[in-house]
Coordinates of all heavy atoms in Angstrom, one line a residue:
M1 N 1.3 10.9 30.7 CA 1.6 9.9 29.6 C 0.9 10.4 28.4 O -0.3 10.8 28.4 CB 1.1 8.6 30.1 CG 1.3 7.5 29.0 SD 0.6 5.9 29.6 CE 2.1 5.2 30.3
A2 N 1.5 10.4 27.2 CA 1.0 10.8 26.0 C -0.1 9.8 25.5 O 0.0 8.6 25.7 CB 2.1 10.9 24.9
E3 N -1.2 10.4 24.9 CA -2.3 9.5 24.4 C -1.8 8.8 23.2 O -1.2 9.3 22.3 CB -3.5 10.4 24.1 CG -4.7 9.6 23.7 CD -5.9 10.5 23.4 OE1 -6.0 11.6 24.1 OE2 -6.6 10.2 22.5
E4 N -2.1 7.5 23.2 CA -1.7 6.6 22.1 C -2.7 6.8 20.9 O -3.9 6.8 21.2 CB -1.7 5.1 22.5 CG -1.1 4.2 21.5 CD -1.0 2.8 22.0 OE1 -0.7 2.6 23.2 OE2 -1.2 1.9 21.2
R5 N -2.2 7.0 19.7 CA -3.0 7.2 18.6 C -3.5 5.8 18.1 O -2.9 4.8 18.2 CB -2.3 7.9 17.4 CG -2.0 9.3 17.8 CD -1.5 10.1 16.6 NE -0.3 9.5 16.0 CZ 0.3 9.9 14.9 NH1 -0.3 10.9 14.2 NH2 1.3 9.3 14.4
K6 N -4.7 5.8 17.5 CA -5.3 4.6 17.0 C -4.5 4.1 15.8 O -4.0 4.8 15.0 CB -6.7 4.9 16.5 CG -7.4 3.6 16.0 CD -8.9 3.9 15.6 CE -9.5 2.6 15.1 NZ -10.8 2.8 14.7
Q7 N -4.3 2.8 15.8 CA -3.5 2.1 14.7 C -4.4 2.1 13.5 O -5.5 1.5 13.5 CB -3.2 0.7 15.2 CG -1.9 0.2 14.6 CD -1.6 -1.2 15.2 OE1 -2.5 -2.1 15.1 NE2 -0.5 -1.3 15.9
L8 N -3.9 2.6 12.4 CA -4.6 2.6 11.1 C -3.6 1.9 10.1 O -2.8 2.6 9.4 CB -4.9 4.0 10.6 CG -5.9 4.8 11.5 CD1 -6.1 6.2 11.0 CD2 -7.2 4.0 11.6
L9 N -3.7 0.6 10.0 CA -2.8 -0.2 9.2 C -2.9 0.1 7.7 O -3.9 0.2 7.2 CB -3.0 -1.7 9.4 CG -2.7 -2.1 10.9 CD1 -3.0 -3.6 11.0 CD2 -1.3 -1.8 11.3
H10 N -1.7 0.2 7.1 CA -1.6 0.4 5.6 C -0.5 -0.5 5.1 O 0.5 -0.7 5.7 CB -1.1 1.9 5.3 CG -2.1 2.9 5.7 ND1 -2.4 3.3 7.0 CD2 -3.0 3.6 4.9 CE1 -3.3 4.2 7.0 NE2 -3.7 4.4 5.7
L11 N -0.8 -1.1 3.9 CA 0.1 -2.0 3.2 C 0.7 -1.3 2.0 O 0.0 -0.6 1.3 CB -0.7 -3.2 2.7 CG -0.1 -4.1 1.6 CD1 1.1 -4.9 2.2 CD2 -1.1 -5.1 1.0
V12 N 2.0 -1.5 1.8 CA 2.7 -0.9 0.7 C 3.2 -2.1 -0.1 O 3.9 -2.9 0.4 CB 3.8 0.0 1.1 CG1 4.5 0.6 -0.2 CG2 3.3 1.2 1.9
F13 N 2.8 -2.1 -1.4 CA 3.3 -3.2 -2.3 C 3.4 -2.6 -3.7 O 2.8 -1.6 -4.0 CB 2.4 -4.4 -2.2 CG 1.1 -4.3 -3.0 CD1 1.0 -4.9 -4.3 CD2 0.1 -3.5 -2.5 CE1 -0.1 -4.7 -5.0 CE2 -1.1 -3.4 -3.2 CZ -1.2 -4.0 -4.5
G14 N 4.1 -3.4 -4.6 CA 4.2 -3.0 -5.9 C 4.7 -4.1 -6.8 O 5.0 -5.2 -6.4
G15 N 4.7 -3.8 -8.1 CA 5.1 -4.7 -9.1 C 5.1 -4.1 -10.5 O 4.6 -3.0 -10.7
E16 N 5.5 -4.9 -11.4 CA 5.5 -4.5 -12.8 C 4.1 -4.7 -13.4 O 3.5 -5.8 -13.4 CB 6.5 -5.2 -13.6 CG 7.0 -4.5 -14.8 CD 8.3 -5.1 -15.3 OE1 8.9 -6.0 -14.7 OE2 8.8 -4.5 -16.3
L17 N 3.5 -3.7 -14.0 CA 2.2 -3.8 -14.6 C 2.3 -4.2 -16.1 O 3.3 -4.0 -16.7 CB 1.5 -2.4 -14.6 CG 1.3 -1.8 -13.2 CD1 0.7 -0.4 -13.3 CD2 0.4 -2.7 -12.3
K18 N 1.2 -4.8 -16.5 CA 1.1 -5.3 -17.9 C 1.0 -4.1 -18.9 O 1.6 -4.1 -20.0 CB -0.1 -6.2 -18.1 CG 0.0 -7.6 -17.5 CD -1.2 -8.4 -17.8 CE -1.0 -9.8 -17.3 NZ -2.1 -10.7 -17.7
T19 N 0.3 -3.1 -18.5 CA 0.2 -1.9 -19.3 C 0.4 -0.6 -18.5 O 0.2 -0.7 -17.2 CB -1.2 -1.8 -20.0 OG1 -2.2 -1.6 -19.0 CG2 -1.5 -3.0 -20.8
L20 N 0.7 0.5 -19.1 CA 0.9 1.7 -18.4 C -0.3 2.3 -17.8 O -0.3 3.1 -16.8 CB 1.6 2.7 -19.3 CG 3.0 2.4 -19.7 CD1 3.5 3.5 -20.7 CD2 4.0 2.3 -18.5
T21 N -1.5 1.9 -18.4 CA -2.7 2.5 -17.9 C -3.6 1.6 -17.0 O -4.6 2.0 -16.5 CB -3.6 2.9 -19.1 OG1 -3.8 1.8 -19.9 CG2 -2.9 4.0 -19.9
G22 N -3.1 0.4 -16.8 CA -3.9 -0.6 -16.0 C -3.4 -0.8 -14.7 O -2.4 -0.2 -14.2
T23 N -4.0 -1.7 -14.0 CA -3.5 -2.1 -12.6 C -3.3 -3.6 -12.5 O -3.3 -4.2 -11.4 CB -4.4 -1.6 -11.5 OG1 -5.7 -2.1 -11.8 CG2 -4.5 -0.1 -11.4
E24 N -3.2 -4.3 -13.7 CA -3.0 -5.7 -13.7 C -1.5 -6.0 -13.7 O -0.8 -5.5 -14.6 CB -3.7 -6.4 -14.9 CG -3.7 -7.9 -14.8 CD -4.6 -8.5 -15.9 OE1 -5.4 -7.8 -16.5 OE2 -4.4 -9.7 -16.1
F25 N -1.0 -6.9 -12.8 CA 0.4 -7.1 -12.7 C 0.9 -8.2 -13.7 O 0.2 -9.2 -14.0 CB 0.8 -7.5 -11.3 CG 0.6 -6.4 -10.3 CD1 -0.6 -6.4 -9.6 CD2 1.5 -5.4 -10.2 CE1 -0.8 -5.4 -8.7 CE2 1.3 -4.4 -9.2 CZ 0.2 -4.4 -8.5
R26 N 2.1 -8.1 -14.2 CA 2.7 -9.1 -15.1 C 2.9 -10.4 -14.4 O 2.7 -11.5 -15.0 CB 4.0 -8.6 -15.7 CG 3.9 -7.5 -16.7 CD 5.2 -7.2 -17.4 NE 5.0 -6.1 -18.3 CZ 5.9 -5.5 -19.0 NH1 7.1 -5.9 -18.9 NH2 5.6 -4.6 -19.9
D27 N 3.4 -10.4 -13.2 CA 3.8 -11.6 -12.5 C 3.5 -11.5 -11.0 O 4.2 -10.8 -10.3 CB 5.3 -11.9 -12.7 CG 5.8 -13.2 -12.1 OD1 5.0 -13.9 -11.5 OD2 7.0 -13.4 -12.2
L28 N 2.4 -12.1 -10.6 CA 2.0 -12.0 -9.2 C 3.1 -12.6 -8.2 O 3.2 -12.1 -7.1 CB 0.7 -12.7 -9.0 CG -0.5 -12.0 -9.6 CD1 -1.8 -12.9 -9.4 CD2 -0.7 -10.6 -9.1
D29 N 3.8 -13.6 -8.7 CA 4.9 -14.1 -7.8 C 6.0 -13.2 -7.6 O 6.8 -13.4 -6.7 CB 5.4 -15.4 -8.5 CG 4.4 -16.6 -8.4 OD1 3.6 -16.6 -7.5 OD2 4.5 -17.4 -9.3
A30 N 6.1 -12.1 -8.4 CA 7.2 -11.2 -8.3 C 6.8 -9.9 -7.6 O 7.6 -8.9 -7.6 CB 7.8 -10.8 -9.7
L31 N 5.6 -9.9 -7.0 CA 5.2 -8.7 -6.3 C 6.2 -8.3 -5.2 O 6.7 -9.2 -4.5 CB 3.8 -8.8 -5.7 CG 2.6 -8.8 -6.7 CD1 1.3 -9.0 -6.0 CD2 2.6 -7.5 -7.5
D32 N 6.4 -7.1 -5.0 CA 7.3 -6.6 -3.9 C 6.4 -6.1 -2.8 O 5.8 -5.1 -2.8 CB 8.1 -5.4 -4.4 CG 9.1 -4.9 -3.4 OD1 9.2 -5.5 -2.3 OD2 9.7 -3.8 -3.7
I33 N 6.3 -7.0 -1.7 CA 5.6 -6.6 -0.5 C 6.5 -5.8 0.4 O 7.4 -6.4 1.0 CB 5.0 -7.8 0.2 CG1 4.3 -8.8 -0.7 CG2 4.2 -7.4 1.4 CD1 3.1 -8.2 -1.4
V34 N 6.3 -4.5 0.4 CA 7.3 -3.6 1.1 C 7.0 -3.7 2.6 O 8.0 -3.9 3.3 CB 7.1 -2.1 0.6 CG1 8.0 -1.2 1.4 CG2 7.3 -2.0 -0.9
G35 N 5.8 -3.7 3.0 CA 5.5 -3.8 4.4 C 4.2 -3.3 4.8 O 3.4 -2.8 4.0
I36 N 3.9 -3.5 6.1 CA 2.6 -3.0 6.7 C 3.0 -1.9 7.7 O 3.9 -2.2 8.6 CB 1.8 -4.1 7.4 CG1 1.4 -5.1 6.3 CG2 0.6 -3.6 8.1 CD1 0.7 -6.4 6.9
Y37 N 2.4 -0.8 7.7 CA 2.7 0.4 8.5 C 1.6 0.8 9.4 O 0.4 0.6 9.0 CB 3.2 1.5 7.6 CG 4.4 1.1 6.8 CD1 4.2 0.4 5.5 CD2 5.7 1.2 7.2 CE1 5.3 0.0 4.8 CE2 6.8 0.8 6.5 CZ 6.6 0.2 5.3 OH 7.7 -0.3 4.6
P38 N 1.9 1.4 10.5 CA 0.9 1.7 11.5 C 0.1 3.0 11.2 O -0.9 3.3 11.9 CB 1.7 1.9 12.8 CG 3.0 2.4 12.3 CD 3.2 1.7 11.1
D39 N 0.5 3.8 10.2 CA -0.2 5.0 9.8 C 0.1 5.4 8.4 O 1.0 4.8 7.8 CB 0.1 6.1 10.8 CG 1.6 6.4 10.9 OD1 2.3 6.5 9.8 OD2 2.1 6.4 12.0
Y40 N -0.7 6.3 7.8 CA -0.6 6.6 6.4 C 0.8 7.3 6.2 O 1.4 7.1 5.2 CB -1.7 7.5 6.0 CG -1.6 8.0 4.6 CD1 -1.8 7.1 3.5 CD2 -1.1 9.2 4.2 CE1 -1.6 7.4 2.2 CE2 -1.0 9.6 2.9 CZ -1.2 8.7 1.9 OH -1.0 9.1 0.6
A41 N 1.2 8.2 7.1 CA 2.5 8.9 6.9 C 3.7 8.0 6.7 O 4.5 8.2 5.8 CB 2.7 9.9 8.1
S42 N 3.7 6.9 7.6 CA 4.8 6.0 7.5 C 4.7 5.2 6.1 O 5.7 4.9 5.5 CB 4.8 5.0 8.6 OG 4.9 5.6 9.8
A43 N 3.5 4.8 5.8 CA 3.3 4.1 4.5 C 3.6 5.0 3.3 O 4.3 4.5 2.4 CB 1.8 3.6 4.4
R44 N 3.3 6.2 3.4 CA 3.6 7.1 2.3 C 5.1 7.3 2.1 O 5.6 7.3 1.0 CB 2.9 8.5 2.5 CG 3.1 9.4 1.3 CD 2.5 10.8 1.5 NE 2.7 11.6 0.4 CZ 3.8 12.2 0.0 NH1 4.9 12.0 0.7 NH2 3.9 13.0 -1.1
D45 N 5.8 7.4 3.2 CA 7.3 7.5 3.1 C 7.9 6.2 2.5 O 8.8 6.4 1.6 CB 7.9 7.7 4.5 CG 7.6 9.0 5.1 OD1 7.2 9.9 4.4 OD2 7.8 9.2 6.4
A46 N 7.4 5.1 2.8 CA 7.9 3.8 2.2 C 7.5 3.8 0.8 O 8.3 3.4 -0.1 CB 7.3 2.6 3.0
W47 N 6.3 4.1 0.4 CA 5.8 4.1 -1.0 C 6.7 5.1 -1.8 O 7.1 4.7 -2.9 CB 4.4 4.6 -1.0 CG 3.9 5.0 -2.4 CD1 3.5 4.1 -3.4 CD2 3.9 6.3 -3.0 NE1 3.2 4.8 -4.5 CE2 3.5 6.2 -4.3 CE3 4.2 7.5 -2.5 CZ2 3.3 7.3 -5.1 CZ3 4.1 8.6 -3.3 CH2 3.6 8.5 -4.6
K48 N 6.9 6.3 -1.3 CA 7.7 7.3 -2.0 C 9.1 6.8 -2.3 O 9.6 7.0 -3.4 CB 7.7 8.6 -1.2 CG 8.4 9.7 -2.0 CD 8.3 11.0 -1.2 CE 8.9 12.2 -1.9 NZ 8.8 13.4 -1.1
A49 N 9.8 6.2 -1.3 CA 11.1 5.7 -1.5 C 11.2 4.6 -2.6 O 12.0 4.6 -3.4 CB 11.6 5.1 -0.2
K50 N 10.2 3.7 -2.5 CA 10.2 2.6 -3.5 C 9.8 3.1 -4.9 O 10.4 2.7 -5.9 CB 9.2 1.5 -3.1 CG 9.7 0.6 -2.0 CD 10.9 -0.2 -2.5 CE 11.1 -1.4 -1.7 NZ 12.0 -2.3 -2.3
A51 N 8.9 4.1 -5.0 CA 8.5 4.6 -6.3 C 9.7 5.4 -6.9 O 9.9 5.3 -8.1 CB 7.3 5.6 -6.1
Q52 N 10.4 6.2 -6.1 CA 11.5 6.9 -6.6 C 12.7 6.0 -7.0 O 13.4 6.2 -8.0 CB 12.0 7.9 -5.6 CG 11.1 9.1 -5.4 CD 11.5 10.1 -4.3 OE1 12.3 9.8 -3.5 NE2 11.0 11.3 -4.4
A53 N 12.9 4.9 -6.3 CA 13.9 3.9 -6.6 C 13.7 3.2 -7.9 O 14.6 2.7 -8.6 CB 14.1 2.9 -5.5
S54 N 12.4 3.1 -8.3 CA 12.0 2.4 -9.6 C 11.6 3.3 -10.7 O 11.0 2.8 -11.7 CB 10.9 1.4 -9.2 OG 9.7 2.1 -8.8
V55 N 12.0 4.5 -10.6 CA 11.5 5.5 -11.6 C 12.0 5.2 -13.0 O 11.3 5.6 -14.0 CB 12.0 7.0 -11.2 CG1 13.4 7.1 -11.3 CG2 11.2 8.0 -11.9
D56 N 13.0 4.5 -13.2 CA 13.5 4.1 -14.5 C 12.7 3.0 -15.2 O 12.8 2.8 -16.4 CB 15.0 3.7 -14.5 CG 15.9 4.8 -14.1 OD1 15.6 6.0 -14.4 OD2 17.0 4.5 -13.6
N57 N 11.8 2.4 -14.5 CA 11.0 1.3 -15.1 C 9.5 1.9 -15.1 O 8.8 1.9 -14.1 CB 11.0 0.0 -14.3 CG 10.2 -1.1 -14.8 OD1 9.4 -0.9 -15.7 ND2 10.4 -2.3 -14.3
A58 N 9.1 2.3 -16.3 CA 7.8 2.9 -16.4 C 6.6 2.0 -16.0 O 5.6 2.5 -15.6 CB 7.6 3.4 -17.8
H59 N 6.8 0.7 -16.1 CA 5.8 -0.3 -15.8 C 5.7 -0.6 -14.3 O 4.8 -1.2 -13.8 CB 5.9 -1.5 -16.6 CG 5.5 -1.4 -18.0 ND1 6.4 -1.0 -19.0 CD2 4.3 -1.6 -18.6 CE1 5.7 -0.9 -20.1 NE2 4.5 -1.3 -19.9
M60 N 6.7 -0.2 -13.5 CA 6.7 -0.5 -12.1 C 5.9 0.5 -11.3 O 6.0 1.7 -11.5 CB 8.2 -0.5 -11.6 CG 8.3 -0.9 -10.1 SD 7.8 -2.6 -9.9 CE 9.4 -3.4 -9.9
R61 N 5.0 0.0 -10.5 CA 4.1 0.9 -9.7 C 4.0 0.3 -8.3 O 4.0 -0.9 -8.1 CB 2.7 0.9 -10.3 CG 2.5 1.6 -11.6 CD 2.6 3.1 -11.5 NE 2.2 3.8 -12.7 CZ 2.9 3.9 -13.8 NH1 4.1 3.4 -13.8 NH2 2.5 4.5 -14.9
Y62 N 3.9 1.2 -7.4 CA 3.7 0.9 -6.0 C 2.4 1.5 -5.5 O 2.0 2.6 -6.0 CB 4.9 1.4 -5.1 CG 6.1 0.5 -5.3 CD1 7.0 0.6 -6.3 CD2 6.2 -0.6 -4.4 CE1 8.1 -0.2 -6.4 CE2 7.3 -1.5 -4.6 CZ 8.2 -1.3 -5.6 OH 9.2 -2.2 -5.7
F63 N 1.8 0.9 -4.6 CA 0.5 1.3 -4.1 C 0.4 1.2 -2.6 O 1.2 0.5 -1.9 CB -0.6 0.3 -4.6 CG -0.7 0.2 -6.1 CD1 0.1 -0.7 -6.8 CD2 -1.6 1.1 -6.7 CE1 0.0 -0.7 -8.2 CE2 -1.7 1.0 -8.1 CZ -0.9 0.1 -8.8
V64 N -0.4 2.1 -2.0 CA -0.7 2.1 -0.6 C -2.2 1.6 -0.4 O -3.1 2.2 -1.0 CB -0.6 3.5 0.1 CG1 -1.0 3.5 1.5 CG2 0.8 4.0 -0.1
V65 N -2.4 0.5 0.3 CA -3.7 0.0 0.6 C -4.1 0.3 2.0 O -3.3 0.0 3.0 CB -3.7 -1.5 0.4 CG1 -5.1 -2.1 0.7 CG2 -3.3 -1.9 -1.1
H66 N -5.2 0.9 2.2 CA -5.7 1.2 3.5 C -6.3 0.0 4.2 O -7.5 -0.3 4.1 CB -6.8 2.3 3.5 CG -6.3 3.6 2.9 ND1 -5.8 4.6 3.6 CD2 -6.1 3.9 1.6 CE1 -5.4 5.6 2.8 NE2 -5.6 5.2 1.6
L67 N -5.5 -0.8 4.8 CA -6.0 -2.1 5.4 C -7.0 -1.8 6.5 O -7.9 -2.6 6.7 CB -4.8 -2.9 6.0 CG -3.8 -3.5 5.0 CD1 -2.7 -4.2 5.8 CD2 -4.5 -4.5 4.1
H68 N -6.9 -0.8 7.2 CA -7.8 -0.5 8.3 C -9.2 -0.3 7.8 O -10.2 -0.7 8.5 CB -7.4 0.8 9.1 CG -7.4 2.0 8.3 ND1 -8.4 2.9 8.2 CD2 -6.4 2.5 7.5 CE1 -8.1 3.9 7.4 NE2 -6.9 3.7 7.0
K69 N -9.4 0.1 6.6 CA -10.7 0.2 6.0 C -11.3 -1.1 5.6 O -12.5 -1.3 5.6 CB -10.7 1.1 4.7 CG -10.4 2.6 5.1 CD -10.5 3.5 3.9 CE -10.2 4.9 4.3 NZ -10.3 5.8 3.1
L70 N -10.4 -2.1 5.3 CA -10.9 -3.4 5.0 C -11.2 -4.2 6.3 O -12.1 -5.0 6.3 CB -9.8 -4.2 4.2 CG -9.4 -3.6 2.8 CD1 -8.3 -4.3 2.2 CD2 -10.6 -3.6 1.9
L71 N -10.4 -3.9 7.3 CA -10.6 -4.6 8.6 C -11.8 -4.1 9.3 O -12.4 -4.9 10.1 CB -9.3 -4.4 9.5 CG -8.1 -5.1 8.9 CD1 -6.9 -4.7 9.8 CD2 -8.2 -6.6 8.9
E72 N -12.1 -2.8 9.2 CA -13.3 -2.3 9.9 C -14.1 -1.4 8.9 O -14.2 -0.2 9.1 CB -12.8 -1.4 11.0 CG -12.1 -2.2 12.1 CD -11.7 -1.3 13.3 OE1 -12.2 -0.1 13.4 OE2 -10.9 -1.8 14.1
P73 N -14.8 -2.1 7.9 CA -15.6 -1.3 7.0 C -16.7 -0.6 7.8 O -17.2 -1.1 8.8 CB -16.1 -2.3 6.0 CG -15.9 -3.6 6.7 CD -14.8 -3.5 7.7
E74 N -17.2 0.5 7.3 CA -18.2 1.3 8.0 C -19.4 0.4 8.2 O -19.9 -0.3 7.4 CB -18.6 2.5 7.1 CG -19.5 3.5 7.8 CD -19.8 4.7 6.9 OE1 -18.9 5.1 6.2 OE2 -20.9 5.2 7.1
G75 N -19.9 0.5 9.5 CA -21.1 -0.3 9.9 C -20.8 -1.7 10.3 O -21.6 -2.5 10.7
A76 N -19.5 -2.2 10.1 CA -19.2 -3.6 10.5 C -18.2 -3.7 11.6 O -17.7 -4.8 11.9 CB -18.6 -4.3 9.2
V77 N -17.9 -2.6 12.3 CA -17.0 -2.6 13.4 C -17.5 -3.5 14.5 O -18.7 -3.4 14.9 CB -16.8 -1.2 14.0 CG1 -15.9 -1.2 15.2 CG2 -16.2 -0.3 12.9
G78 N -16.7 -4.4 15.0 CA -17.0 -5.3 16.1 C -17.9 -6.5 15.7 O -18.3 -7.2 16.5
Q79 N -18.1 -6.7 14.4 CA -18.9 -7.8 14.0 C -18.1 -9.1 13.6 O -18.7 -10.1 13.2 CB -19.8 -7.4 12.7 CG -20.8 -6.4 13.1 CD -21.7 -6.0 11.9 OE1 -21.6 -6.6 10.9 NE2 -22.5 -5.0 12.1
G80 N -16.8 -9.0 13.7 CA -15.9 -10.1 13.5 C -16.0 -10.7 12.1 O -16.2 -11.9 11.9
L81 N -16.0 -9.8 11.1 CA -16.0 -10.3 9.7 C -15.1 -11.4 9.5 O -15.2 -12.2 8.7 CB -15.7 -9.1 8.8 CG -16.6 -7.9 8.8 CD1 -16.1 -6.8 7.9 CD2 -18.0 -8.3 8.4

């Protein structure tokens, strides 16, 4: 039986930014929550597809958030944050 890899959750989301150089969104209600993925490679594929599909809108940006780092910050594993 193949060894199961550890789940490292990643969130992909995006939206239209107020400025080209910032990370503040114009409308939080309009954020595009693409999904949660079990590993970085899957999340990157989803991010890339969304980023390429929105290339005509310079203010639209998509991000990958490492949820596993928020869920298990260094030194806090098993503490039930």
Side-chain angles (χ1 to χ4, degrees):
M1 180 180 267
E3 184 177 325
E4 188 174 326
R5 291 192 300 174
K6 184 176 178 183
Q7 208 176 58
L8 299 175
L9 297 178
H10 291 77
L11 165 68
V12 178
F13 78 102
E16 206 165 358
L17 299 176
K18 289 184 175 182
T19 66
L20 293 175
T21 58
T23 56
E24 191 172 344
F25 295 97
R26 285 189 182 175
D27 182 1
L28 293 178
D29 291 330
L31 286 180
D32 181 10
I33 308 299
V34 179
I36 297 174
Y37 299 88
D39 54 52
Y40 179 76
S42 301
R44 186 182 182 284
D45 289 344
W47 165 84
K48 186 175 180 180
K50 283 295 199 168
Q52 288 177 340
S54 64
V55 72
D56 290 336
N57 182 348
H59 284 89
M60 185 65 98
R61 292 285 191 282
Y62 282 87
F63 299 89
V64 176
V65 178
H66 300 265
L67 289 179
H68 62 95
K69 291 183 180 181
L70 298 174
L71 295 170
E72 294 183 13
E74 190 174 328
V77 175
Q79 294 181 9
L81 298 175

